[in-house]
Amino acid sequence: LLRSDTTALRGTAAVVGDRSHVLDQGDFQAGSLQRTDSGLTASAGALDVDFNSLHAMLDCNLGCGLGSRLGCERGALTAATEVQGARGAPGHCITLQVGDGNNSIVEGRLDMKHLLKLLDLTTEEIEEILNLADQLKYELKHGIEHHHLKGKTLGMIFAKASTRTRVSFETGMYQLGGYPMYLSANDMQIGRGEPIEDTARVLSRYLDGIMIRTFEQKQVEDLAKYGSIPIINALTDFAHPCQVLADLMTIRERKGALEGLKACYIGDGNNMMHSIIVGCLKMGMSISVACPEGYRPDKEVLEFASQYEGFEMTDSPATAAKDADVLFTDVWASMGQEGEAAERRKAFEGYQINAELMKLAKPDAMVQHCLPAHRGEEITADVFEAHADE
Ligand code: NVA
């Protein structure tokens, strides 16, 4: 959530002379806009704007209240001149200007940022999320107050069961000084067929952000399309981005770095497999997935993965697990597939992380499971218990 706030600061920027003539322009992201002789680049140097003052100045609700800094050596923010679209509405952007005393200004746009699926994030954005998460974890452990979301309310819509996601979001919002509002989809009007666009519009007027766990990915995308506040996907049938960001954070914490590691995933080509494939490849890891015919990942994910040499798909768990640093698995029947459980139990026979398979992986390999786990199906009890603290 926090990262989606800070990376809201991205878009195009232009260096303008005499407040009208564009001298140069380029893309920027929070903290990465640099101005050099050759133009706007991502290297050292240049511009320095305090986003706390920007936030105060614009009184904007785009989540720049974290005090992120967009470097500017030359001068302070002089004006936020244009607001396109309604504040917080889709496509809304603000043009800001930084003066240097020589009429030279930088203009930048602030755009809305959501977390709908990892396919939407750049490697740099994922890295920023992991860095910020590490920092917040450090602050929490050391009793350093970090109430970045003071006064903010997060609506948490659940159309499916949840233990870890609900507790982690609710606790996280409390630790960040905000308020988490639990909303059961069955008790809401969407449960009685109210269109998502109406829900999106009205909730955007009360809340500062929405996280949602539901079935169709389209519902989450539509919330973002019709609402005017940041939307976070807390699991759909297609993706589980928050879980995989947390997995990547854990792996990096234990292994020191992600780049160059080999992951494998044994089991169903489901939401978890999708997010793991995308997350690992974007972070420079290789990944080998083993799944039976008929249960392979979505076309969109396979198309993305096919650009990477480090991607392999096989029907052999042993091939996938060979020399792996991290082994992933997930249930054979996900939420909503309860009726297919018996059929799936047959199809996935042998797609299990067990002691034999672990022998093929690196000796210090980690095991990750998003939980709940079905011991004796996708993972044996002994392997699960041996890796339960990871
Ligand atoms: N694939 C599982 C993940 C649970 C966190 C499901 O969707 O039920």
Side-chain angles (χ1 to χ4, degrees):
L1 178 66
L2 281 172
R3 182 51 48 182
S4 78
D5 279 350
T6 54
T7 53
L9 309 172
R10 65 174 193 172
T12 14
V15 179
V16 184
D18 295 321
R19 294 188 177 264
S20 58
H21 177 57
V22 175
L23 300 177
D24 197 1
Q25 62 181 27
D27 293 330
F28 75 90
Q29 291 190 337
S32 71
L33 174 61
Q34 310 291 352
R35 187 174 161 192
T36 65
D37 288 346
S38 56
L40 289 169
T41 72
S43 59
L47 310 163
D48 196 349
V49 178
D50 185 344
F51 269 86
N52 277 328
S53 36
L54 171 65
H55 186 259
M57 183 169 180
L58 298 176
D59 184 30
C60 75
N61 196 15
L62 285 176
C64 13
L66 285 183
S68 309
R69 296 181 77 79
L70 177 68
C72 172
E73 79 187 17
R74 293 274 200 116
L77 182 76
T78 54
T81 54
E82 263 177 50
V83 177
Q84 291 173 14
R87 184 162 294 174
H92 170 220
C93 82
I94 296 165
T95 300
L96 55 119
Q97 299 179 338
V98 182
D100 68 353
N102 286 325
N103 284 331
S104 190
I105 55 175
V106 167
E107 293 186 347
R109 287 163 46 116
L110 306 180
D111 295 317
M112 179 70 68
K113 187 76 183 148
H114 305 286
L115 177 52
L116 308 180
K117 54 189 182 299
L118 293 183
L119 281 167
D120 299 337
L121 300 188
T122 63
T123 299
E124 292 71 32
E125 283 170 333
I126 296 175
E127 209 164 75
E128 279 181 38
I129 291 171
L130 302 185
N131 291 346
L132 182 63
D134 282 349
Q135 184 188 325
L136 292 176
K137 183 170 177 179
Y138 176 89
E139 290 176 0
L140 181 72
K141 295 234 167 272
H142 291 81
I144 301 166
E145 190 183 291
H146 48 277
H147 287 169
H148 302 297
L149 298 183
K150 196 170 165 195
K152 307 271 186 200
T153 306
L154 178 73
M156 309 193 311
I157 304 174
F158 286 95
K160 289 177 176 171
S162 173
T163 300
R164 282 148 286 268
T165 301
R166 176 178 174 184
V167 173
S168 60
F169 268 82
E170 206 160 319
T171 310
M173 276 306 283
Y174 174 73
Q175 289 166 353
L176 290 163
Y179 176 68
M181 183 185 288
Y182 177 81
L183 298 163
S184 160
N186 283 339
D187 300 335
M188 294 173 71
Q189 300 292 2
I190 21 174
R192 297 178 53 234
E194 183 171 22
I196 198 80
E197 47 269 45
D198 298 351
T199 306
R201 289 188 190 106
V202 74
L203 291 187
S204 294
R205 294 180 190 136
Y206 295 117
L207 303 170
D208 299 289
I210 298 173
M211 72 88 106
I212 177 166
R213 167 168 288 195
T214 188
F215 293 86
E216 277 175 85
Q217 178 70 15
K218 185 172 182 304
Q219 273 212 332
V220 176
E221 307 272 345
D222 281 351
L223 266 187
K225 183 167 163 197
Y226 296 105
S228 54
I229 54 177
I231 307 299
I232 299 170
N233 178 352
L235 183 145
T236 59
D237 292 344
F238 179 71
H240 198 1
C242 297
Q243 172 70 50
V244 171
L245 288 170
D247 288 341
L248 291 171
M249 178 182 173
T250 301
I251 297 164
R252 193 172 78 158
E253 199 171 74
R254 293 193 167 239
K255 299 280 184 195
L258 295 173
E259 204 168 344
L261 294 179
K262 178 185 171 178
C264 78
Y265 182 109
I266 312 294
D268 190 17
N270 62 12
N271 44 13
M272 276 303 295
M273 190 190 276
H274 294 161
S275 296
I276 286 166
I277 290 174
V278 177
C280 289
L281 291 175
K282 286 202 175 196
M283 295 314 288
M285 296 168 68
S286 59
I287 177 153
S288 184
V289 301
C291 37
E293 179 99 49
Y295 296 94
R296 298 208 160 137
D298 187 270
K299 241 182 30 222
E300 191 183 350
V301 174
L302 287 180
E303 226 167 79
F304 164 82
S306 67
Q307 307 164 64
Y308 291 82
E309 269 179 25
F311 177 69
E312 178 186 42
M313 187 166 66
T314 165
D315 55 13
S316 154
T319 306
K322 179 113 186 53
D323 296 326
D325 296 284
V326 190
L327 296 92
F328 288 94
T329 189
D330 186 15
V331 288
W332 291 342
S334 287
M335 289 181 276
Q337 297 170 336
E338 291 78 4
E340 299 170 30
E343 183 190 324
R344 283 173 166 266
R345 228 171 273 133
K346 267 195 219 140
F348 285 102
E349 209 175 318
Y351 287 82
Q352 182 188 64
I353 300 187
N354 52 36
E356 279 306 296
L357 199 76
M358 290 303 294
K359 282 188 199 148
L360 301 171
K362 297 243 178 83
D364 61 348
M366 294 172 65
V367 177
Q368 299 278 278
H369 192 311
C370 64
L371 303 174
H374 290 182
R375 290 166 174 80
E377 291 192 2
E378 75 277 3
I379 189 164
T380 52
D382 56 330
V383 173
F384 184 91
E385 291 305 326
H387 294 269
D389 290 341
E390 293 168 0

